[in-house]
């Protein structure tokens, strides 16, 4: 079968023929992948600009961690049947470390990531533990189910920020995670969701299609001016960051109300310089979020099933797996927002 793989520690990916997925062992399933999204982290690994050195001992491997499909074969005790439709939680807790034994799989210290440390969904089939599979309703399309992973990240960020009814929320970053945060903040009851980005017309267009009008382009005016013009000079209740640019946190903190929460969701290559006097006097709360809890997945899938068309504008490009490299280039040049590959 065809697979889109990272083969060497350097720029690029390879589209190659690989053997079919091996038969599932006890507790495993083989999933027939029907839709797989290209994530920002996939693009970083494609470009090989740093931060993904942990992949080196695992190469070559098939990438892809945002995917959905059908159960194709089941191992003993998997709890699934052939043909079951599922979305995939890409993290695999070891089950043995102190955190796992204490019932906290997200705290696992020996966690594997499907598509980053072992074979993922940019192929027709992949063998994974059955516990990574979340059942999805019959009417939920696969390309939308493939959005469950980034939407879960957004939902978890919103839960971490304790966004509430009537809040004014500032989202830094217009990409898929920023879009997911904005959508989930609106569902959590935020009265106003402002999204900031830099000269990113394609993603601003997606945000408008998703119903967000309060957009600030920091290439045109300083963030502070843009946000204050929208809020009538009032600070915001919650800031959620999905830029990966440390300085954006300083800009966000400058607009955050006294005692407000700033949630960091971006993966940052650089360090943050934090003026602590203001931070302390304003009692700002800095919190981190990463991935999503299992119950958050169920909530996201419920929202996707209830109102699928509210989410579909996130997907701007659909390509067959054979044209996967083209999809990566579209994402890399920020000409695309979410690209879905179909094996
Ligand atoms: Zn991702
Ligand atoms: Zn563990």
């Amino acid at each position: 079968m065809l697979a889109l793989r990272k083969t060497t520690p350097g720029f690029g990916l390879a589209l190659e023929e690989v053997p079919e997925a091996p038969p599932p062992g006890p507790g495993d399933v083989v999933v027939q992948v029907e839709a797989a999204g290209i994530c920002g982290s996939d693009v970083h690994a494609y470009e090989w600009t740093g931060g993904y050195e942990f992949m080196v001992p695992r190469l070559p491997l098939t990438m892809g961690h945002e995917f959905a499909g059908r159960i194709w074969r089941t191992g003993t005790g998997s709890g699934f049947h052939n043909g079951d439709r599922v979305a995939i939680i890409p993290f695999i807790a070891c089950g043995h470390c102190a955190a796992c034994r204490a019932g906290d799989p997200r705290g696992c210290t020996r966690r594997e990531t499907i598509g980053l440390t072992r074979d993922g969904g940019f192929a027709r089939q992949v063998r994974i533990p059955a516990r990574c599979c979340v059942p999805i309703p019959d009417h939920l399309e696969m390309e939308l189910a493939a959005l469950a992973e980034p939407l879960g990240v957004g939902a978890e960020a919103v839960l971490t920020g304790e966004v509430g009814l009537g809040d004014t929320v500032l989202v830094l970053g217009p990409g898929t995670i920023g879009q997911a945060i904005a959508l989930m903040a609106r569902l959590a009851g935020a009265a106003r969701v402002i999204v900031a980005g830099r000269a990113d017309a394609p993603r601003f267009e997606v945000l408008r299609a998703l119903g967000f009008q309060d957009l600030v382009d920091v290439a045109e005016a300083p963030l502070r001016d843009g946000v204050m013009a929208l809020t009538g000079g009032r600070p915001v209740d919650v800031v959620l960051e999905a830029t990966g640019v440390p300085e954006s946190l300083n800009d966000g903190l400058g607009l955050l109300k006294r005692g407000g929460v700033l949630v960091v969701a971006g993966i940052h290559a650089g360090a943050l310089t934090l003026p602590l006097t203001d931070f302390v006097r304003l009692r700002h709360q800095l919190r981190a979020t990463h991935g999503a809890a299992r119950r958050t997945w169920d909530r996201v899938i419920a929202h996707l099933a209830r109102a699928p068309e509210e989410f579909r504008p996130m997907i701007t490009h659909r390509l067959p797996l054979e044209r996967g490299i083209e999809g990566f280039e579209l994402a890399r040049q920020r000409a695309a927002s979410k690209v879905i590959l179909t094996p």
Side-chain angles (χ1 to χ4, degrees):
M1 64 180 177
L2 211 52
L4 194 51
R5 316 194 90 203
K6 191 83 197 168
T7 53
T8 52
F11 182 91
L13 286 177
L15 191 63
E16 20 176 69
E17 276 296 326
V18 297
E20 302 271 301
D28 288 339
V29 291
V30 172
V31 172
Q32 182 96 11
V33 180
E34 294 193 16
I38 298 176
C39 171
S41 62
D42 295 331
V43 176
H44 290 309
Y46 170 73
E47 293 179 308
W48 206 255
T49 45
Y52 289 82
E53 293 75 13
F54 63 85
M55 293 177 72
V56 176
R58 309 302 181 89
L59 300 181
L61 73 81
T62 301
M63 296 199 64
H65 61 266
E66 297 178 1
F67 61 100
R70 272 170 221 274
I71 304 289
W72 177 248
R73 296 179 73 179
T74 54
T76 51
S78 78
F80 284 95
H81 301 287
N82 291 350
D84 285 354
R85 308 171 84 251
V86 292
I88 310 303
I89 301 176
F91 301 108
I92 306 172
C94 75
H96 306 294
C97 72
C100 282
R101 286 200 312 270
D104 173 26
R106 292 183 73 206
C108 178
T109 51
R110 290 200 295 264
R111 201 162 87 137
E112 295 276 333
T113 304
I114 295 170
L116 285 174
T117 66
R118 54 180 278 165
D119 284 344
F122 291 150
R124 198 170 68 241
Q125 294 176 358
V126 59
R127 182 178 70 171
I128 55 173
R131 64 179 192 277
C132 294
C133 297
V134 185
I136 58 171
D138 284 345
H139 69 272
L140 179 58
E141 286 173 49
M142 289 294 180
E143 68 170 27
L144 294 168
L147 295 176
E149 201 271 339
L151 286 170
V153 171
E156 199 67 43
V158 166
L159 291 165
T160 302
E162 298 178 63
V163 172
L165 269 182
D167 279 354
T168 294
V169 169
L170 172 60
V171 182
L172 304 173
T176 292
I177 298 301
Q179 293 161 21
I181 291 171
L183 285 161
M184 293 299 163
R186 188 167 68 192
L187 287 167
R192 170 167 255 164
V193 178
I194 302 167
V195 187
R198 182 183 292 278
D200 205 334
R203 296 173 200 210
F204 278 137
E205 197 159 311
V206 169
L207 282 156
R208 280 189 206 98
L210 292 168
F212 297 99
Q213 305 303 329
D214 294 336
L215 309 177
V216 176
D217 187 345
V218 298
E220 287 171 4
L223 178 70
R224 182 174 188 83
D225 297 354
V227 172
M228 287 302 184
L230 289 166
T231 64
R234 278 189 300 279
V236 303
D237 297 302
V238 186
V239 178
L240 301 118
E241 175 277 337
T243 61
V245 180
E247 294 73 30
S248 71
L249 272 69
N250 298 109
D251 296 340
L253 286 168
L255 291 160
L256 183 61
K257 73 174 181 185
R258 212 168 267 272
V261 177
L262 186 149
V263 179
V264 187
I267 301 294
H268 294 256
L272 171 69
T273 304
L274 184 62
L276 287 167
T277 306
D278 278 353
F279 182 67
V280 169
R281 287 191 176 143
L282 294 169
R283 292 179 287 105
H284 281 159
Q285 309 293 305
L286 202 52
R287 297 182 188 169
T289 184
H290 188 235
R294 170 60 203 243
R295 68 180 181 285
T296 307
W297 278 79
D298 294 332
R299 292 172 176 182
V300 161
I301 287 167
H303 280 304
L304 278 166
R306 176 190 57 82
E309 299 313 320
E310 279 180 28
F311 300 91
R312 202 186 302 273
M314 294 174 75
I315 303 169
T316 56
H317 293 72
R318 298 159 179 88
L319 292 170
L321 182 65
E322 301 90 278
R323 290 170 62 192
I325 306 275
E326 188 183 330
F328 269 80
E329 280 298 320
L330 285 166
R332 186 163 93 94
Q333 289 150 21
R334 298 203 292 180
S337 193
K338 179 59 71 189
V339 180
I340 296 281
L341 301 181
T342 46

